[in-house]
Amino acid sequence: MSTYNNTKLDANELNQRRREALSKIDNAEFGWFHIRACLVAGVGFFTDAYDLFAINLVTPMLGMIYYGGTLPSDLDLGIKVAASVGTFIGQIVFGALADRLGRKRMYGVELMIIIVATLGQALSGNGHVLSLPSALIVWRLIVGVGIGGDYPLSAVITSEFATTNRRGAMMAAVFAMQGFGYLTTGIVAIILLAAFKTSIQTDVQNLDYVWRILIGFGCLPALVAVYFRLTIPETPRYVLDIENNLNKAERDVATVLKENRNHLQSEDDAADAIISNPATAKGSFSDFCAYFAKWENFKVLFGTSMAWFALDVAFYGIGLNNSFILSSINFGGVKNDNWTTCWNAAVGQIIIVLLGAVPGYWVTVFTIERLGRIRIQIIGFVMSCILFCVLGFAYHQIKDYSVALFVFLFAATQFFQNFGPNSTTFVIPGEVFPTRYRSTGHGIAAGSGKLGAIIAQVGFSQLKDRGGSNAFIPQLLQIFALFMLIGLLVTFLIPETKGKTLEELSNEEEPYVHNTNSLNEEK
């Protein structure tokens, strides 16, 4: 009898200490550690976007240098889609490994992969066994793995360190760095083209300097961030719920929040005193299946995954194939003038990003805690669906009536994708799953998005010229509108996460509470 009472008291005490540790994280004042976490994660997403979208400007240069005009369509598609295939692999693999091995152990590894593969691209050359395009495809597949690993790791680490009332804004700010990465590709390209203008106009082979430096520049921000990622502490939630070490979690919380640790055990004592509870659920394949076999849990995974899939069909279908927009604003290719063609592509990319993408990202950052994730996602899908319908069904009429109106409507789709599902599909999966499957769940949702991107890139490439150059674009825009509608419908399967703790969103009883109830019944 007394044994049960002592155990009951121990369980209550453990439960109380766990709640206090989590409460300190959830209710902490916004400080330098939170800013640092956002910057360290954000630099990674800056690099991801730079590496993904720089290829838009590189493939035309490769065609001019090595093929006397245009890169063959199969090679153009292969080089562009390779990174998406690698990203899909990285999201699934790193998502699972971060739950199994720890966020800290994996964080930074993905950036090292990106650095090595980016240098590999920049230094690639033609060989007897492996051609330059083939080498680029291999290296872009590898860089994609690193980029994919960044999604679940940065999302979950930011989520688990964030305060409840600022979690959405912090995660959205990390993701918003993609916009600056996309923008920087155009800026760096303009600087390089201006520097090499005379030599390129003399001999187009000098574009070889430009594309290699443009790709290689992507290493610099990653090199800056990799040290800080390798030294970031493990998240207290991982220590609590997966390592199951309450004592260490309390010390880590005190360290992160710069509290007085005199009341806690010393480092030496703590090494021999692991305070844990056997009632804490442990991650395993059977437990994973049991958790997601419940409809209330599976519908969240399905909803977040399908929403991201639907979004990326349109987002990457256009994002990596925007020549039809550039040509409509007189920033397309110029016959027999390679330098001007490359210049127009870089300037046009900057215009597109500044008109829609960057504003959309940051409006989300500043409104997500007020409007909520689901409302922003619904607004984004509804407006994107409407705008794609207008552009798809009245494509030629709008272009013939007013180029300015056409560009405005296209920029509006970019705005509402980023002030909408492109941001929220990243944020929500980092909040709605329990700690032991949070990174895995985010990886599955993100990987589903990349499947949509792969399908879109292959489909866009194969279909856009049916009936003539860019003749099938209106029908593709109509297809994108359908996917926006699908994204809207599955959004209603996803719970609103604003103002709720990660534990409230996990759909599980708290550990220790369950243990105490079991003990009371046994008594």
Side-chain angles (χ1 to χ4, degrees), residues 47-71:
T47 304
D48 298 345
Y50 184 96
D51 289 337
L52 279 176
F53 291 103
I55 207 66
N56 275 0
L57 304 176
V58 168
T59 49
M61 297 180 192
L62 296 176
M64 296 169 190
I65 299 166
Y66 299 102
Y67 293 88
T70 306
L71 197 65

Side-chain angles (χ1 to χ4, degrees), residues 298-318:
F298 176 75
K299 72 175 183 178
V300 177
L301 181 63
F302 177 78
T304 53
S305 300
M306 194 62 200
W308 209 332
F309 174 88
L311 166 77
D312 275 7
V313 168
F315 187 79
Y316 281 92
I318 289 178

Side-chain angles (χ1 to χ4, degrees), residues 85-96:
V85 174
T87 302
F88 168 77
I89 296 169
Q91 287 165 333
I92 300 297
V93 172
F94 274 79

Side-chain angles (χ1 to χ4, degrees), residues 180-232:
F180 290 131
Y182 196 177
L183 177 65
T184 303
T185 59
I187 294 172
V188 173
I190 283 177
I191 294 170
L192 292 172
L193 287 167
F196 286 91
K197 179 177 181 179
T198 304
S199 59
I200 293 169
Q201 290 175 334
T202 302
D203 184 358
V204 72
Q205 295 295 316
N206 288 308
L207 271 174
D208 204 50
Y209 291 105
V210 175
W211 81 260
R212 291 180 188 277
I213 298 172
L214 179 61
I215 289 287
F217 183 84
C219 287
L220 297 182
L223 285 168
V224 172
V226 70
Y227 168 78
F228 295 100
R229 289 197 171 192
L230 292 172
T231 56
I232 200 167

Side-chain angles (χ1 to χ4, degrees), residues 133-215:
S134 299
L136 287 175
I137 289 171
V138 171
W139 283 118
R140 287 195 65 75
L141 179 70
I142 296 171
V143 82
V145 173
I147 291 170
D150 203 16
Y151 277 72
L153 282 167
S154 288
V156 168
I157 285 173
T158 305
S159 172
E160 291 181 352
F161 273 125
T163 64
T164 301
N165 292 331
R166 292 185 176 88
R167 188 177 61 236
M170 287 177 63
M171 296 178 72
V174 167
F175 196 66
M177 293 302 291
Q178 278 198 334
F180 290 131
Y182 196 177
L183 177 65
T184 303
T185 59
I187 294 172
V188 173
I190 283 177
I191 294 170
L192 292 172
L193 287 167
F196 286 91
K197 179 177 181 179
T198 304
S199 59
I200 293 169
Q201 290 175 334
T202 302
D203 184 358
V204 72
Q205 295 295 316
N206 288 308
L207 271 174
D208 204 50
Y209 291 105
V210 175
W211 81 260
R212 291 180 188 277
I213 298 172
L214 179 61
I215 289 287

Side-chain angles (χ1 to χ4, degrees), residues 7 32 76 90 97 140 154-155 211 237 289 333 350 355 455 521:
T7 307
W32 168 244
D76 181 82
L97 288 177
R140 287 195 65 75
S154 288
W211 81 260
R237 280 185 165 89
C289 293
I350 291 173
L355 282 177
I455 291 170
E521 290 174 9

